Amino acid sequence: MNILVTGGAGYIGSHAVRKLHAAGHSPVVLDNLSYGHRGAVPNNVPFYQVDLKETDRIEKILREHRIDAVMHFAALISVGESVRQPLLYYRNNTAGAASLLEAMERVGVKRFVFSSTAATYGEPEETPIFETTKQQPINPYGRSKWFVEQILRDIVATDSKFGFVVFRYFNVAGASDEGDLGEDHQPETHLIPLVLFAAMGKRNNITVFGTDYPTPDGTCIRDYVHVNDLVAAHILGIETLSEGDARFYNLGIGRGYSVREILDTAKKVTGKEIPTVFGSRREGDPARLFANSDKVQKELGWQPQHTDIEEVIASAWQWHTAHPNGYKNS
Ligand code: UFG
């Protein structure tokens, strides 16, 4: 299939491009490079520096490359920023997706895979979180993605030839097996890279945000899924997508690790001391988020390969130590 990958120069999108290629598909990358890295896209993959809001240019790319399906990764992802600048999130994530979908409608591209988030559940009513757990996002980031889920439901209700898969991500981590693709966010806010930066001496310490949560060790629990496992689900999703599909899947491994457990494992993996400061809670952090992922396992036959957190952290460590400045000078 000819597949347009938006955000293909980003962390998850670049891993998807590689795996799509390996599975015999022809990816075409669209990225505005506001956060993505040109160096993360191989030279033999068509690349367009285009913003999601440029509907006409996207339409042209869809026609030119006879695109069969779209994987939509491009988005802003910082919860804190979304609280401070909600319109930025609605414009990029919600209006951006609407613009992309409009271009698809003009050309008649009917298959869509969308990166949603566990943040659409907000402070979940139950854990593990099922796809049927009530969605009540508590910040503009979560809502900006939730709105896109609703737009997709509306499209499929009026166009029986359209089909989509929505994946709600839990905490994505790790890097490529080859060690040449990995996480490089500027600024970085995610736990695992920051812990590894502290181990490398790239930062002085790591602050644990809150030790008084109602969890066994008082720190927050998250479900860490390896980026290649996540991408594998997308490929299964796109290859099985049919007309009229409106599918929603959680993507997590179904087991949570606390911040303290991540720190202990990182210490073991790196063999380094990790200077730690115990700080107060970060606003908007739910105590525990972990998935029930039976649905994606049953319906798509998805089997995560990296279920050992030690392996996930080792994979990230390999990337960060080989690329201490990310894609810069690498
Ligand atoms: N944490 C720290 N110190 C840090 C950074 C994080 O203690 O310096 C803690 C957080 O408080 C949280 C856990 O580590 O408990 C994980 O934090 P991340 O920032 O790595 O990830 P989040 O769980 O906050 O966010 C992720 C995605 C978001 C998504 C959210 C819910 O990055 O895009 O999951 O789906 F919205």
Side-chain angles (χ1 to χ4, degrees):
M1 262 188 277
N2 297 330
I3 300 174
L4 183 72
V5 182
T6 75
Y11 170 43
I12 301 169
S14 59
H15 286 79
V17 167
R18 173 164 298 170
K19 294 293 180 189
L20 283 169
H21 227 282
H25 297 292
S26 301
V28 173
V29 169
L30 183 153
D31 199 299
N32 68 3
L33 295 184
S34 62
Y35 289 95
H37 307 278
R38 183 65 184 88
V41 183
N43 287 328
N44 61 355
V45 170
F47 172 81
Y48 294 91
Q49 185 171 358
V50 169
D51 192 88
L52 288 174
K53 283 155 304 221
E54 298 180 84
T55 319
D56 294 346
R57 287 185 72 191
I58 299 176
E59 178 185 342
K60 201 161 160 259
I61 295 164
L62 293 173
R63 287 190 200 284
E64 218 168 280
H65 290 274
R66 300 177 177 280
I67 294 295
D68 302 299
V70 174
M71 279 193 185
H72 180 35
F73 295 98
L76 298 178
I77 57 162
S78 167
V79 171
E81 184 183 54
S82 81
V83 174
R84 292 188 300 276
Q85 299 188 69
L87 286 177
L88 188 65
Y89 276 68
Y90 294 125
R91 177 183 260 268
N92 278 278
N93 295 0
T94 313
S99 161
L100 172 63
L101 287 159
E102 189 186 325
M104 289 172 63
E105 186 183 72
R106 288 184 198 166
V107 182
V109 179
K110 301 288 184 188
R111 279 178 273 209
F112 194 70
V113 177
F114 178 59
S115 307
S116 189
T117 167
T120 60
Y121 295 108
E123 185 77 60
E125 276 179 347
E126 57 185 354
T127 44
I129 298 172
F130 291 82
E131 286 80 0
T132 48
T133 298
K134 191 167 174 199
Q135 287 177 288
Q136 35 195 4
I138 54 170
N139 51 57
Y141 167 68
R143 274 189 289 275
S144 73
K145 293 276 187 174
W146 181 85
F147 283 131
V148 179
E149 293 193 9
Q150 309 320 308
I151 292 171
L152 292 172
R153 289 180 202 268
D154 289 342
I155 293 175
V156 92
T158 54
D159 179 356
S160 58
K161 298 243 180 291
F162 190 83
F164 69 83
V165 185
V166 163
F167 290 111
R168 297 183 186 137
Y169 301 175
F170 284 68
N171 291 59
V172 190
S176 71
D177 300 333
E178 299 80 3
D180 59 340
L181 296 176
E183 201 166 0
D184 179 8
H185 294 120
Q186 304 285 347
E188 188 53 78
T189 59
H190 295 106
L191 180 67
I192 291 179
L194 291 179
V195 166
L196 297 179
F197 291 165
M200 289 161 71
K202 199 177 150 180
R203 53 185 288 140
N204 294 336
N205 54 49
I206 176 82
T207 302
V208 173
F209 295 142
T211 52
D212 59 350
Y213 282 96
T215 59
D217 68 18
T219 65
C220 288
I221 291 173
R222 294 290 182 271
D223 183 336
Y224 295 89
V225 54
H226 192 278
V227 63
N228 275 341
D229 283 331
L230 186 99
V231 161
H234 287 63
I235 293 174
L236 292 168
I238 210 148
E239 288 179 346
T240 57
L241 194 54
S242 327
E243 292 179 358
D245 274 352
R247 303 200 235 141
F248 297 86
Y249 298 114
N250 286 340
L251 278 183
I253 64 159
R255 184 194 186 306
Y257 293 92
S258 73
V259 174
R260 279 189 214 266
E261 284 176 306
I262 296 295
L263 278 163
D264 292 345
T265 311
K267 195 171 156 184
K268 192 167 152 204
V269 167
T270 63
K272 310 267 186 200
E273 278 308 312
I274 299 172
T276 304
V277 174
F278 293 95
S280 51
R281 292 184 179 196
R282 183 173 69 177
E283 209 183 324
D285 273 341
R288 50 175 88 222
L289 286 177
F290 59 97
N292 174 294
S293 54
D294 289 355
K295 191 175 175 221
V296 62
Q297 300 200 25
K298 211 167 128 230
E299 292 187 10
L300 295 187
W302 182 65
Q303 268 308 326
Q305 303 298 308
H306 308 271
T307 49
D308 179 356
I309 191 67
E310 215 173 295
E311 212 187 299
V312 174
I313 293 177
S315 150
W317 180 239
Q318 184 193 348
W319 155 255
H320 288 299
T321 46
H323 303 86
N325 299 311
Y327 285 97
K328 227 178 284 155
N329 331 314
S330 69

